Amino acid sequence: MPDDISHHLVTVLRAQIGTRFELVFNDHQCYLAELTSTAPTVSATIIHALGRNPELPVHTGIACGIPKTKEKPEMIVQKGTEVGVQQIIFFDAERSISHWQGNKRARKLARLQKIANSAAEQSHRNVQPQIYYCDSLKELLNSYPATHRLVAWEESAKQGETSALVKVLRQTTIGESLLAIFGPEGGLSSEEVATMESQGVIPVGLGPRILRTETAPLYFLSAVSVITELVSSDKK
Amino acid sequence: MPDDISHHLVTVLRAQIGTRFELVFNDHQCYLAELTSTAPTVSATIIHALGRNPELPVHTGIACGIPKTKEKPEMIVQKGTEVGVQQIIFFDAERSISHWQGNKRARKLARLQKIANSAAEQSHRNVQPQIYYCDSLKELLNSYPATHRLVAWEESAKQGETSALVKVLRQTTIGESLLAIFGPEGGLSSEEVATMESQGVIPVGLGPRILRTETAPLYFLSAVSVITELVSSDKK
């Protein structure tokens, strides 16, 4: 078994020979395993596949304008992972006050990836969400295609727009992908939204209340789960 | 105008005579107002009602087993307020490790109420959610009736239960009330869930992933908004 997993299992969790645990392989399937040796090498045997799939039926990514504080990206990554996100891109938006440059950027991304991996483990995910960085909105729109691209737009909410999100989610079918874009603290500029619209990104409201930059992605991901997992199973 | 609002407006925000701002009265309506004097007393005149209603169509409360850390109740209150909660009760659950006793309790509640008030202002709510404390599950069930009472139950999620939440939310009509109960970090005990079920509380799953104690209420509140605000407007 890989060193980090062995260390976590034997040293941190003090697992003994015979201890059963769950392992996720690169095939994104979860297996029940049993520890068979702890020294000199840590090894385990697979008992059977668990056949559990806690992944959202559509591949869901979020792109967030870099927030001002250190805590907000961490919260977005941790909570987003719990609610099923598969890809998180932080992009340098027009109103982003923090910029992630040089070494700082690599350190940030490594730390956020670690938070994603650990949250994926804790929430029994089969996939570790991947964390990326984009220099600009232009790069984001060029590099991250998706079947449906949405932008959370406060003005939509103010104008009482309430159904575009549900319409898009209902049109989405298994195997398709979603990407939702969110602004930093000061919001997106009208120019940014116009650029997105010209490339087919759909503006959506997230209910009639003003949500903070770290809350909006969680509302969106919960909505994806409710419409694609709960409502659709209610129809069966 | 009340001292705290006057202070915030004139001293913190440095409003001048003629500055227009939004005021919410005890009737839970939002009005556009204009500052008419700053000294010796701060006064304003009402221009007109804004007729905006950012409140959930059903009165929604959450009851959370007291979490271990100081940060989690604060996050639940702040984010819950943004997503529309109207009542938050922290109760001493079987597996709560922290207990709020004596002076500590009063201080905690005062601080959480302040966080709720400030989040309500920031998210343009017309209602400040009220924060309460309950000594036990028994007191909670006796003192907080609601048209529909739910409990988020991890075992429901594990057994693949996915539609009870949506069923209840679809049955809920305007003017009714909802109360959803959540466990602390270690979850609720089977005895606690049995007690709730015997009193008509409905166990619901919140999707196939394991959510942390502070994430589950936000998923639930987002689901209430999606089903009662977004899906129902999509049908019109």
Side-chain angles (χ1 to χ4, degrees):
Chain A
M1 293 208 299
D3 283 350
D4 54 340
I5 295 180
S6 300
H7 172 80
H8 188 68
L9 195 65
V10 177
T11 314
V12 181
L13 300 175
R14 295 163 194 257
Q16 310 284 327
I17 289 173
T19 297
R20 293 189 166 193
F21 57 98
E22 296 177 8
L23 260 186
V24 175
F25 282 86
N26 289 340
D27 63 357
H28 300 314
Q29 297 300 313
C30 184
Y31 296 88
L32 185 66
E34 187 175 301
L35 196 62
T36 51
S37 109
T38 57
T41 56
V42 176
S43 53
T45 181
I46 300 297
I47 301 181
H48 58 75
L50 285 169
R52 203 177 49 207
N53 188 5
E55 298 304 319
L56 287 170
V58 286
H59 184 282
T60 305
I62 56 174
C64 304
I66 295 176
K68 208 165 68 177
T69 67
K70 176 172 162 278
E71 291 72 26
K72 289 184 180 190
E74 298 187 358
M75 182 187 292
I76 292 169
V77 168
Q78 187 191 69
K79 304 292 167 230
T81 300
E82 287 175 63
V83 192
V85 76
Q86 298 194 307
Q87 186 179 58
I88 304 179
I89 307 133
F90 289 98
F91 73 100
D92 204 331
E94 204 179 299
R95 296 190 186 144
S96 285
I97 289 170
S98 291
H99 306 283
W100 295 354
Q101 277 153 347
N103 282 341
K104 188 178 162 193
R105 180 190 308 165
R107 273 204 316 275
K108 284 261 181 205
L109 290 174
R111 181 169 161 77
L112 291 172
Q113 187 61 59
K114 210 170 153 188
I115 290 172
N117 296 352
S118 146
E121 195 180 308
Q122 180 159 358
S123 53
H124 294 240
R125 295 277 309 269
N126 289 1
V127 172
Q128 294 177 329
Q130 297 302 302
I131 316 296
Y132 301 99
Y133 168 86
C134 262
D135 239 350
S136 65
L137 176 64
K138 194 178 163 196
E139 190 195 330
L140 173 71
L141 293 173
N142 287 339
S143 309
Y144 295 90
T147 323
H148 306 276
R149 297 201 290 190
L150 312 170
V151 52
W153 179 225
E154 215 169 77
E155 296 303 320
S156 292
K158 281 191 194 154
Q159 289 157 21
E161 188 291 298
T162 54
S163 65
L165 175 63
V166 169
K167 277 208 183 79
V168 173
L169 294 180
R170 285 195 169 147
Q171 283 162 8
T172 308
T173 55
I174 294 172
E176 287 188 340
S177 58
L178 275 172
L179 178 71
I181 305 173
F182 302 88
E185 284 86 350
L188 295 160
S189 71
S190 335
E191 290 73 28
E192 285 176 314
V193 175
T195 304
M196 291 191 235
E197 285 195 271
S198 74
Q199 298 199 32
V201 180
I202 303 162
V204 299
L206 302 176
R209 290 160 297 279
I210 309 298
L211 302 176
R212 281 174 213 237
T213 191
E214 72 279 20
T215 312
L218 302 180
Y219 181 102
F220 165 75
L221 292 167
S222 302
V224 175
S225 164
V226 168
I227 301 291
T228 66
E229 295 181 324
L230 305 193
V231 169
S232 47
S233 78
D234 183 46
K235 281 183 200 150
K236 279 172 200 161
Chain B
M1 294 204 301
D3 283 351
D4 53 341
I5 296 179
S6 301
H7 172 80
H8 187 67
L9 195 64
V10 177
T11 315
V12 181
L13 300 176
R14 294 164 194 257
Q16 310 283 327
I17 289 174
T19 298
R20 293 189 168 194
F21 57 98
E22 297 177 5
L23 261 186
V24 176
F25 282 85
N26 288 340
D27 62 357
H28 299 314
Q29 297 301 313
C30 185
Y31 296 88
L32 185 65
E34 188 176 301
L35 197 61
T36 51
S37 109
T38 57
T41 56
V42 176
S43 52
T45 182
I46 300 297
I47 301 181
H48 58 77
L50 285 169
R52 201 176 53 207
N53 188 6
E55 297 304 318
L56 287 170
V58 287
H59 184 279
T60 305
I62 56 174
C64 304
I66 295 175
K68 209 166 65 178
T69 65
K70 177 173 161 279
E71 291 73 26
K72 289 184 179 190
E74 297 187 358
M75 182 188 292
I76 291 168
V77 168
Q78 187 190 69
K79 305 289 167 231
T81 299
E82 287 175 63
V83 192
V85 75
Q86 298 193 308
Q87 185 179 60
I88 304 180
I89 307 133
F90 289 98
F91 73 100
D92 204 332
E94 205 178 301
R95 295 189 187 144
S96 286
I97 289 169
S98 292
H99 306 283
W100 296 354
Q101 277 152 349
N103 282 343
K104 189 178 161 192
R105 179 190 309 164
R107 274 203 316 274
K108 285 260 182 205
L109 290 175
R111 180 168 162 77
L112 292 171
Q113 187 62 58
K114 210 169 153 188
I115 290 172
N117 296 352
S118 146
E121 194 180 308
Q122 181 159 358
S123 54
H124 293 238
R125 295 276 309 270
N126 289 1
V127 172
Q128 294 177 330
Q130 296 303 302
I131 315 296
Y132 301 100
Y133 168 86
C134 261
D135 237 352
S136 64
L137 176 64
K138 196 179 161 195
E139 189 194 332
L140 173 70
L141 293 173
N142 288 339
S143 310
Y144 294 91
T147 323
H148 306 276
R149 296 201 291 190
L150 311 170
V151 52
W153 179 224
E154 215 169 77
E155 295 303 319
S156 293
K158 282 190 192 153
Q159 288 157 23
E161 187 291 299
T162 53
S163 64
L165 175 63
V166 169
K167 277 210 183 80
V168 173
L169 293 181
R170 284 194 170 149
Q171 283 162 10
T172 308
T173 54
I174 294 172
E176 287 189 341
S177 58
L178 275 171
L179 178 71
I181 305 172
F182 301 87
E185 284 87 351
L188 295 160
S189 72
S190 335
E191 291 72 29
E192 285 176 315
V193 175
T195 303
M196 290 190 235
E197 286 196 89
S198 75
Q199 299 199 32
V201 180
I202 304 162
V204 299
L206 302 176
R209 290 159 298 278
I210 310 297
L211 302 176
R212 283 174 212 235
T213 190
E214 72 278 20
T215 313
L218 302 180
Y219 180 103
F220 165 76
L221 292 167
S222 302
V224 174
S225 164
V226 169
I227 301 292
T228 66
E229 295 180 324
L230 305 194
V231 169
S232 48
S233 78
D234 183 46
K235 282 183 199 150
K236 277 173 205 160

